[in-house]
Amino acid sequence: KIHKMGKVTLTYFGGTGRAGSTLFLLEDNKIDYEWKKLDFPAWGKVKAQGAKGLAQFGSIPVLEDGDFKLGQTTAILTYSASLAKLTPKTQKEQAFVVSLVCYAEDLRIAWYKCCFGTPESKKAGTVAALKKFEDATQYLEKHLGDKKYFNGDNVTAADYTMFDFLSTVDGAFGEKNPFRKSKTVMAFLEGFKKRENIAPFYKNVFQGMLAGFIQF
């Protein structure tokens, strides 16, 4: 275990959702953690507590490390990366990694518009998302280049969030997934999937969650 200070607790729903990137990171780096899964009634009680309760900004996931509580997906992911000693050494590399994490969140917003809303809005969201993902391919190719990971030979928070996002899109869209046209992007996706500590979680937890999606 890398994190020696005790078990961290990640509170979210039963699906990986916005906690997926952090869950992959925690699993891959063997950080001692508990995934506290809330059903909707339990989440309703937490939310009703407002600022006095667990939710730091009225939403989950929330990470607890001792008496420290942290909200917001990107903050949780980057903090978890620091626990695993994955933070790049230079400020420029750190900024680059954060830019990729933020970009993945931008793309994820487009994905969510495929999943939530009226049938008409989801249909329109799917068309818009596929176009956005097609455009995004060139940028992911640019930043990956011929590197193993986005920041070179060393894995960072960016790789976990991109892997989580790309896996979700590929599982949902299948052959319609625009990223499948890129050998560079798919090589990253398939290579990351085979990491020793990623593979079991992907197969036993994440893949099962994807099976619940109706393919678009």
Side-chain angles (χ1 to χ4, degrees):
K1 306 292 183 181
I2 293 177
H3 183 44
K4 302 295 185 181
M5 301 300 290
K7 180 183 290 187
V8 298
T9 300
L10 185 66
T11 300
Y12 193 59
F13 300 112
T16 54
R18 285 194 173 275
S21 302
T22 298
L23 287 166
F24 277 123
L25 187 154
L26 295 173
E27 285 286 334
D28 196 30
N29 293 278
K30 292 298 180 183
I31 293 177
D32 194 14
Y33 78 97
E34 175 189 0
W35 178 4
K36 187 176 181 180
K37 302 174 184 179
L38 301 183
D39 57 19
F40 285 107
W43 161 235
K45 293 179 181 178
V46 171
K47 190 173 183 179
Q49 295 172 353
K52 296 180 180 179
L54 174 69
Q56 299 303 288
F57 300 100
S59 62
I60 49 178
V62 170
L63 183 78
E64 296 175 83
D65 185 6
D67 59 0
F68 176 60
K69 297 180 177 64
L70 185 64
Q72 296 298 310
T73 303
T74 297
I76 290 170
L77 178 65
T78 53
Y79 178 74
S80 298
S82 72
L83 296 182
K85 303 187 184 306
L86 301 179
T87 304
K89 294 181 180 180
T90 71
Q91 290 180 321
K92 290 179 180 179
E93 287 178 313
Q94 292 169 19
F96 173 63
V97 167
V98 171
S99 75
L100 287 164
V101 173
C102 291
Y103 186 52
E105 286 302 306
D106 288 346
L107 296 174
R108 203 183 303 274
I109 289 171
W111 154 244
Y112 283 135
K113 290 181 180 179
C114 303
C115 305
F116 304 103
T118 65
E120 293 77 15
S121 69
K122 288 191 287 186
K123 183 177 180 179
T126 298
V127 172
L130 288 173
K131 177 63 169 64
K132 189 176 184 69
F133 300 160
E134 185 175 0
D135 292 342
T137 302
Q138 61 181 313
Y139 300 112
L140 298 191
E141 288 181 332
K142 171 185 176 181
H143 293 303
L144 269 171
D146 59 359
K147 297 176 292 186
K148 185 176 183 179
Y149 304 118
F150 279 95
N151 197 46
D153 292 331
N154 298 316
V155 67
T156 68
D159 300 294
Y160 293 102
T161 195
M162 284 297 180
F163 174 71
D164 177 46
F165 165 72
L166 290 168
S167 295
T168 300
V169 170
D170 195 57
F173 286 104
E175 293 299 327
K176 297 179 182 179
N177 174 19
F179 294 114
R180 286 197 179 185
K181 298 177 183 178
S182 170
K183 292 182 180 179
T184 300
V185 174
M186 293 308 293
F188 164 78
L189 178 60
E190 293 303 318
F192 209 85
K193 191 185 299 182
K194 294 175 183 176
R195 286 174 64 87
E196 181 180 1
N197 296 328
I198 289 289
F201 186 80
Y202 180 88
K203 179 180 179 181
N204 299 327
V205 178
F206 190 79
Q207 207 165 29
M209 183 207 70
L210 287 180
F213 282 120
I214 299 175
Q215 285 210 342
F216 290 84

